[in-house]
Structure formats: C-alpha cells, structure tokens
Amino acid sequence: MTERMIGAPVPRTEDARLVTGRGHYLDDLGAGAYEVAFVRSPHAHARITSIDVEAALDTEGLVAVYLYEDLTGKVAEPLPLLIPHPALTHGRTAYPLAKDVVRHVGEAIVMVVATDRYRAEDACERITVEYEFLPPVVGIDKAAGGEHLVHADVPGNVAAHMVQEVGDAPAAIAAAPNRLELQLDIERSACMPMEGRGVLARWDEADASMRVYTSTQTSTGVRAAVAAKLELPLDRVEVITPDVGGGFGVKIVHPWPEEVLVPWAARLLGHEVKWTEDRREHFVSSAHERGQLQTVRVGFDDEGRVLGLDVEILHDNGAYTPYGIIVPIITSTQLLGPYKPGAYRVDFRSLYTNTVIVTPYRGAGRPQGVFAMERTMDAIADHLGRDRADVRAANFIQPHEMPYDHGLLFQDGRPLIYDSGDFPASLDKLKKLVGWDDFEVFRAQARAEGRRVGIGIGCYVEGTGVGPYEGGHVQVETSGKVNVATGLTSQGQGHQTAFAQVVADELGVPFEDVSVTTGDTRRFGYAVGTFASRAAVMSGNAIALAARKVREKALRIAGEALGADPGDLEIVDGVVRVKDDHSSAIPLGTVAVLSNPLRYAFDDASKAATQFGGNADPSRPPVAEDDEPGLEGRDFYSPPRATFANGMHAAIVETDPETAEIRVLRYCVIHDCGHLLNPLIVEGQVHGGVAQGVAGALYERMEYDENGQLLNASFMDFLMPYASEVPSVEIDHLETPSPLNPLGIKGAGEAGVIPGAAVLASAIEDAEGFPITRMPIQPSELFHLRRRHAAGEIPPLRRVRTAPEEFPTA
Amino acid sequence: MKPPAFKYHAPASLAEALDALDAVGHDGKVLAGGQSLIPILNMRLAAPAHLVDINRLSELAYVRTEPGGVTVGALARHADVERDADAYAAVPLLRQGLRLVAHPVIRNRGTTVGSLAHADPSGEMTAVLALLGGSVDLVRKGASRTVGAEDFFAGPLESCIEPGEMAVSAYFPRLAGRTGTEFVEAARRHGDYAMCGVAAAVTLDDDLRVTRARAAYLSVSPVPLVLDLTEAVHGATPATARWADAAALAVLSIEPEPDIHATAEYRAHLARVLTERALRAAAQRATSTDVERTSR
C-alpha cells in the first residue's frame, strides 16, 4: 500500500531549483525588452505646474516619454477601487500617472521607455517637474484633525467610518465593577518581499493578443484588469506569473499602475516592454500597513471576564484606497480573538494621509487587533492582580460552544462564525511548552545575575480560506504522469509539494508523477488569488475534488476494460486493480489512452487509441453523449464562509538594564490549523511569520518626517531583522479539523506574524514593570520610557507595587 | 537604481593605476571592494566619470606584520586582516574591530584601506586607526606622502586624499608597554552601523597600575574621536579603578547627533556605558595575556 502523503513532512520539491539559482523571476525574462523607469514625486503633496522633458529627448537609447496627457481610453481613468464597501463613502484611487496633484512621495508622474534601465534612468534625471506645494498631511493625528486635506473633496480626510455593535457596550462598561481605558499606538511596516514588483508585456499584432508576465498574487485579477483597461476581449489577454520572490500581500493589489502602463506601452510601441521595481521604488510606491491609533474601553468582573468592550480605531490608509477597507474591517472583527467580549462596539475611521497606500501585509489588520485585545487582557490581569493566562482562560469561548457566532460581519461580508477550535487545550499546551508556571524561578535566577527578563503571551484567531472560490484541474496523461493546475499563484508557499501530496492520495498516484501549475491563465482561467491564508484551503480542496472526479472516471473506464465493477477497484501507485485480485490491473496511463479515442497515431500510446486500433463497440459513439474525451476533471471549492485557525504564542525576553537592548530568549508557538497537509511547510510558514512578527515588534517601521519624506527608504535604515535577530522558534501543534471542507484544513500562511507585537509588548512590560502601549519599540525608546518611568511620568504596573522585590528598579 | 555611465579603467599595475588617476584628476574614483561605492553609484549619490578598478593590483593584496606594527595593503580584504594570526598577535584591536564590521560576506569583499578612504565616522577601522595613532600612505604619479590618522580624516565621508592620489596602504602600530585593547558597540542589528561604538586601550605599569587609558568613538562625532581618560583612573588597579568616572569624563566631550535609530541623549548614554565596559575589558586583557607578548 502506498504511504499516505497528506500529513507527511514531505520536503519541498521546488526548493532545489529555487535555491540553486534555477528559478525564473520576472527580471530573468524579456532579455530584449525595452525597459521602463519612472519620474516619481519627491514631494508628499503638491500640484504639478509644469513638466519639461526637452532635456531628456536626446538621451541615448530613449524610446518614449509618457505623461498623464498621453494616456488614452480607460488607461487615462483612475485605477479601479477593487473592493467597494458601503462604509467606504469617500473611496479615492490614483491615476496610473499623476494628473495635476501628487499625494505621496513616490507617486509616478512620467513614464520613460528606453533600450535599457540605465538609459531610462538617465532620461528621468533630465526631466524637470515644477510643483506648487500643498500642505502635507502626515500622521494619524494630523489626518484626524482635518486641518488640511489630502483630497480636497474628502472632508476630515475620512475615507470610511464604520461601526459594528453587538449589545450595548457603553452601558455594559458603565455597569461593570471594574473599568479600564487604554490608548494604544502601532506603527507602519511593510511586506518587503525579496523580489519587488515587475511586469513584462508582449503584444502580438498578428494575433491581436497580449501576454503579460507579472509578479503578482493574482494572475486572473490582473488579466481581467488589463483586458478592461486596454479594452481587449478577455480571450486575447493571458497573464502568467513566473517564479515570484515573495508577496506577503502587497502583490494582491491590482492592477498596479505599472501593470496597466507597461502593456499599454507594449501595444503602442509594438515591442516587448518591461519594468522591474527597484528597492527604493518598493519603499515609496508600493504599499505599507499596520499604522493605527486605538482607544480601548473595557468593563470586567472580578474574575477578569469582559462584560463590555468598546474600541475606537483611527486607521491610516495612506493617500488612496484601491483595496478598500479590508484592513480595518479585519482589525475590528479579528480583535476578538478566542474571547467572548460581552457587549462589543467597534468604531473605526479610515483616514487619508500623504503617504504610501496601506493594503494588506501578512496578518492584514490582525496584528493591530490582537495588540489591542492582548494589551487589554494584560491590563485586566494586572488591575486585578491575577495571572495573565488565567484571565485569558476566563474569557475563552469553550469547545462545546462551537460553532460560535459573534453576530458580526467578517471581511468577506459573511457572518463571523468560528467553525472549530479548542482554546483551553491550546493554552494548556503553551503554558507547558514555555514553562509558564515556573517562570518566577527563572526570573529570580536571572535577577541574581543582574539580568532583567520578562515573559509575555498572546492569543489570536485568524479567519482563513475566505471565498468566494478556487478551482482545480487534474489531468492524467497517457504516460501516467499527472498535470495539475489551479488558478491562484505561488510566492514560495510550496504549492507544488502540498498540492501534489493531495493528488497523490486522492488519485492513488506516485507523488513524483504529479506536476502542479499555478497562476497561469492559459491553464486555469478562474481564480481569486493567493492571500488571506487561503491557498491550501481553497485550491487544496478544489484539487482534491477534481482528483476525486478523475478517480471516478478512471474507475469507470478501467471497470469496463477489466470487466469489473468500479466499486471493486482501487488505484495504487498509478495502477487501477481489482481489490482482491491484483493480477487484474491496468495502469492509469492506459486508462487515459482508452479515455481519448483518436483518429491519428503519432506514438505508441496514440496507436493504441486510434479509432481503427481497438475493438471498441461499433454500436456506440466513440465518446458517449454525457462524456468528454480525456482522463481529466475540473472542480471548484466554494465554502459558505471562512474557516478559523488559531494560535497562542509566548516569548521570554531579556532587556539590558544599562543599554536597554532587547533580546528574545525564547519564542514558543502553539498552532492549530486543523489537519496538517504538510507539517514541514506549516512550520516553515510559522517560522517566517514569527520572523516578521519580531521584525514588526522590535525592528521595522516606516519613518516618515512631518513633510512626508520617508527617511529610511533603504535596507540600510529599514531594519529587516537578520537571522541573528530572529529567535529559534519552538512549535507544538493542535489539530482541530475544520468541519467546513473535505480535507478538514485551515489556513496557516499568516499565523506566525499575528501576535508578535502583542506578545513582545507583554514580555517587555513584564521585564520592565511599566506599561508598554506603543509598538514597535527600539532600545532608544525603551531608554526614554525608563527615564520617564523613573521620573514618575509613567506609573508602574500594579503587580510591581504589590511585590516590588520581584521587579527591577529603573 | 542604476548608475549613470562612467569610463571603466582596469590597470594591471600600481604604475598604471596612478597614470590613470593622474589623467582623470577630479573625475576619478578608485574602486576596490566596492561595498560603499557601488551603492552610492547605484543611488546616483555620486557620479564620477571614471572608475579606476584596482582589483588586479595583486601587489597591494598584503598584510605585513613587523615588530613595530601591521601594514595593510590597499587590496587586502577585511577578512584577510581579520584572519591573519600575526597581525592579531601584534595588534589585537584589528580583529576586535573587524569582527564588528558588517558581515562575513561583506568582509570578504570590502578592503580595510578602502573603508579608511571612505572615512565614515561610523566605520570601525577609522576608530582603530585613530586610537592606535596609525597612518595612511598616499601615492600619486611621481610623489608620495604619509598622513597620520589625526590629519587623514577631514569630515564625515571626507578624507584628505586628493585628486590623482591613491591610498596604497595603512599602518597600524603595535601599542607599547603592557597594553590591552577592546572594541565594543551597540548596533540595532548584528553587523549594522553602530549607534555607538568604543575602542579602548589601557596601559598598566609593572605593578599593574593604570598609566594610560584612552578610548576612540564611533558614530558620535564627524571624524573619529579619541579621548585620553587617564586622569580618572591613573594609578588604580584594574579592579579598583573607577571606570565609571572615566566614562563620565568621556561623556563630557561627546556631543552626538540624533537619528532615527537613537536620540542624542541615548547615544551619549551608550557612550558612557560602553566606555566603562570597553575600558574594564581592555584593562583585564592588559593584566593577563598581554604581559608575555609585549615583553617578547
């Protein structure tokens, strides 16, 4: 019997190719293409008064220069608002090239096409743009103040205002025996994939068709957008994602201006055109995330149970809202985590600022929400003098309460209903893994050595695998090899491996015989994209369903060939055989031959399949009326709603009493994403996520000055952590299957990052003995917080006041 | 991020390189390891019309240790210097500083003389040269001169190398007497430019009493800053010396600038903490292993 592949820690088959330099990324393609560079705004907010391209025109190798005025048809219209929402009353999107006004540093103004990128940049340098400065709106406070406007026709800079309410939270808080209010602040970071964005377009004049290669998280989305913008029939546009060097959310936004402009120019010039984003462009012209100010009011009983929770969020959405208000919606719903909030009210305003747009970055609004909730849990515990883990446990939704309906609407517009999870069991595992109950012993030992340590905890629930659908196509070739296609894209998730595992098990073929194609509209035209931890759930299940169809067809055809009842057959190692007579067998490749009667013979398999070769029943048509030629199947998976994964993290940190440097000593993760398709891949996802969580807590931030200049737009000053900064991650799993899908799985792609800022704030606070309300935090900031604490400006935690001997003096 | 066009020169000997530099004058720039120059070119922060690539000048790829100190040729990579046992024995501060210079892959390519010529006040080797009182040999077609560390650094990212001139070697003298050294720094990430760094040298007499204590600073001044802190600890033993007093003395002479990673106040605080740590460790070294070596 073949070993079961689903659930096995199968090493990723794609890695050898990718880590030995045999991948093909966007910039590896299109060697003869013209290349594009952009003149981008150096100012955060200004009116363009003149553009002088004269000096650039004699640049060697210059092909074309385009301004907004040169754009034609729908390309000259604003970019689409991809995800409209009734609460987004003042959605605004940019033009592909700035028209009149620029609203953030980095906004594209002039597109230059040249024979190579060097010359394109030479020409850019010679173009002069003159500006009339407008007051920049930078920072949430400035935006909320509304003194100056990012868009003249958006009062108060408010793009959206949304309130969701269950029960009467203000009344519940007012009536509660204990009340607290927290002011929290979380800063911007960004996806920063190793490969930036990039587009290559090839117009075929004879075929009147466009082929676009783009480093995207949704090739079908880009295809539809390019067809619409260039006014081409959908069947004349194909979009292919080559290897993609990471996405983390930024590449789900589409069409980016460049994804419209590059194909447009390729058609106009009758020549391949390519644009490869450089790192500086990525910093100032792609997308950021995270920035929010939060006010939390909570009422709770003496056990720490939350009776009412009222949260106000000011969300910085940057200069435009092409991706709608997905991020703050997720914050406001996923904030609840594994807890029952009692009465709940959440009110968010999404605000324009003169900064780079804000769209989902791995975690997508959840890290902020979890930060709010977990800071609140710690504050409650401290207020009551109770154990932080106990207070969380007191608020947990219990396993017998699943499915649990929060009475709110989630990001997909569907009810926020948790499908499964066992939060008490997860917490129990975490406490054991990190040694929660023994920590005070460790703290005492460390203190005796003059060291300062703290422990923190954070819990989250993550809606994964959101719809509307994905599809899969499975085809058995006459060689017995299996081709699998799904429309969503891959950015390093290991889809070749995971989906091949699914097909190997479902169809009964060797894992090695399965090859997977993703993100190629030539192979599969219907797809949504790879985001929201959805690929395994959506395409994994769709491919499983498609493989089941193929299996059914194979058993039917083999049954006819073997004179057996299909119900008596099994498929093992690519061979269909009678269960209790293994000598009666037929390889799947032969079944594929039988499935497709041919007129022509061109190899041995087709010889066997020609209509003149076999001894098919002459009274029946070669292909039955309700059948199709070929051993293949296609199916779709469309769930009623998202499936909710969860996890709990704990960290132990050490803070240097003198230098205020912060070091993560241990980082522990309990993770529950239902059945594990491949534990190695899941753990890899968690490791990468934790790295980004630590990054967002201790290292990365977008440092805008008051004029809207991004001061750290390079990897020299934007501190993505190295391997030397990321702690070793200890993981244990809980597998609570999802009842919503055939494989019983939940998404795992974002898990690791979500509670990072919350957990590390909790741990640093515990080490220092005073509240941490703003993340990320750097040593310089911790140094100043210590000073303020020592000066009495920041009160100590209550547990420090009750047991001062256990905590350091500042 | 592509550089503007430049003319590329690939001399095969020092003489050819000096000819090329002489011919191009102000428009020329020497390319050695390229770890700073190439990003500067790509970001179009500088646009020299000529690059003179000295990577074929194997005659300059040397680390030479003599009784008086270590001479490092212009094509010696940081890694060559860091791993040279003789150089370490003679001038331990070289390796102590080099292990803090970025990461191994950068040290494999970057050159020690190149980092001095770059004159970044947050560069470790600038502080090492300054603390040791070393010098740089500058050569031009038909002439040469030796410039001491105190005159070599003119300002942030500015050395005294003139158009047509090339730094061909740097000399790091061995410290006299029973002297120990240490290099400590605080950086946001391992290998980053330090928020503050301190190279310290402490000399003891035969009774193991401090006769001299000095420190050089990174990232707190426009050019490498060397402070003599002897007065705070003179005559004390490493165990009884009030290193904190020396650190407090040092901070009086430091006026750091703030940036996005550290406020000026925090940087000064780090300077105080790191001064104390570096001096204490340097003194410890002076009491033990350095005795035999310096008397040999």
Side-chain angles (χ1 to χ4, degrees), chain A residues 104-236:
Chain A
H104 66 86
V105 169
E107 193 165 353
I109 299 171
V110 184
M111 178 190 194
V112 173
V113 187
T115 50
D116 61 57
R117 174 73 182 236
Y118 293 81
R119 290 171 167 131
E121 290 192 21
D122 288 347
C124 285
E125 260 191 342
R126 295 168 192 168
I127 292 170
T128 310
V129 183
E130 289 184 353
Y131 303 89
E132 173 197 333
F133 299 123
L134 300 170
V137 179
V138 181
I140 295 175
D141 287 332
K142 279 257 180 69
E147 186 190 346
H148 299 295
L149 299 179
V150 176
H151 297 272
D153 57 351
V154 179
N157 294 310
V158 180
H161 180 208
M162 186 170 171
V163 179
Q164 290 208 65
E165 222 167 350
V166 179
D168 186 344
I173 296 166
N178 307 287
R179 288 182 291 277
L180 282 172
E181 179 171 327
L182 288 81
Q183 301 287 342
L184 303 169
D185 183 342
I186 194 156
E187 250 291 356
R188 275 191 180 204
S189 185
C191 300
M192 290 298 150
M194 209 185 309
E195 183 200 26
R197 298 179 294 124
V199 194
L200 166 67
R202 183 188 301 153
W203 172 248
D204 185 330
E205 184 66 38
D207 192 46
S209 68
M210 178 69 72
R211 176 180 289 185
V212 178
Y213 295 87
T214 181
S215 190
T216 185
Q217 291 175 229
T218 172
S219 50
T220 47
V222 174
R223 181 196 195 195
V226 168
K229 283 291 182 186
L230 269 54
E231 298 172 78
L232 289 167
L234 196 61
D235 82 325
R236 297 290 91 186

Side-chain angles (χ1 to χ4, degrees), chain B residues 22-207:
Chain B
D22 188 58
V24 301
H26 277 281
D27 290 333
K29 194 87 188 155
V30 173
L31 171 66
Q35 298 302 294
S36 298
L37 180 59
I38 298 295
I40 286 171
L41 295 179
N42 284 344
M43 290 195 258
R44 298 192 176 219
L45 297 173
H50 298 268
L51 277 195
V52 179
D53 181 351
I54 63 164
N55 280 281
R56 288 167 189 77
L57 274 53
S58 51
E59 62 204 272
L60 299 181
Y62 63 85
V63 180
R64 202 174 290 147
T65 304
E66 287 159 345
V70 178
T71 307
V72 175
L75 204 57
R77 313 290 169 179
H78 285 310
D80 299 332
V81 184
E82 182 188 3
R83 293 171 198 160
D84 192 296
D86 292 340
Y88 177 62
V91 184
L93 189 60
L94 280 172
R95 185 181 292 175
Q96 290 161 3
L98 280 166
R99 69 187 164 79
L100 300 171
V101 175
H103 308 100
V105 286
I106 291 173
R107 301 202 288 271
N108 285 343
R109 191 77 201 158
T111 63
T112 298
V113 173
S115 79
L116 295 173
H118 186 53
D120 190 329
S122 55
E124 284 79 4
M125 298 321 285
T126 58
V128 168
L129 190 81
L131 184 68
L132 298 176
S135 58
V136 179
D137 276 4
L138 303 177
V139 180
R140 66 162 64 247
K141 192 178 178 181
S144 68
R145 58 181 176 135
T146 298
V147 181
E150 64 281 9
D151 297 321
F152 182 75
F153 302 106
L157 303 180
E158 193 186 350
S159 77
C160 71
I161 303 174
E162 290 177 1
E165 254 184 342
M166 175 179 154
V168 292
S169 66
Y171 177 63
F172 298 92
R174 180 202 293 262
L175 291 174
R178 191 192 297 272
T179 302
T181 57
E182 178 62 301
F183 206 131
V184 296
E185 62 181 40
R188 287 292 279 116
R189 297 172 299 186
H190 178 79
D192 272 352
Y193 289 114
M195 294 181 285
C196 179
V198 181
V202 176
T203 305
L204 308 178
D205 63 17
D206 290 341
D207 297 330

Side-chain angles (χ1 to χ4, degrees), chain A residues 729-744:
Chain A
V729 183
E730 302 165 54
I731 305 178
D732 197 0
H733 299 279
L734 195 71
E735 295 191 52
T736 316
S738 171
L740 295 182
N741 62 68
L743 297 173

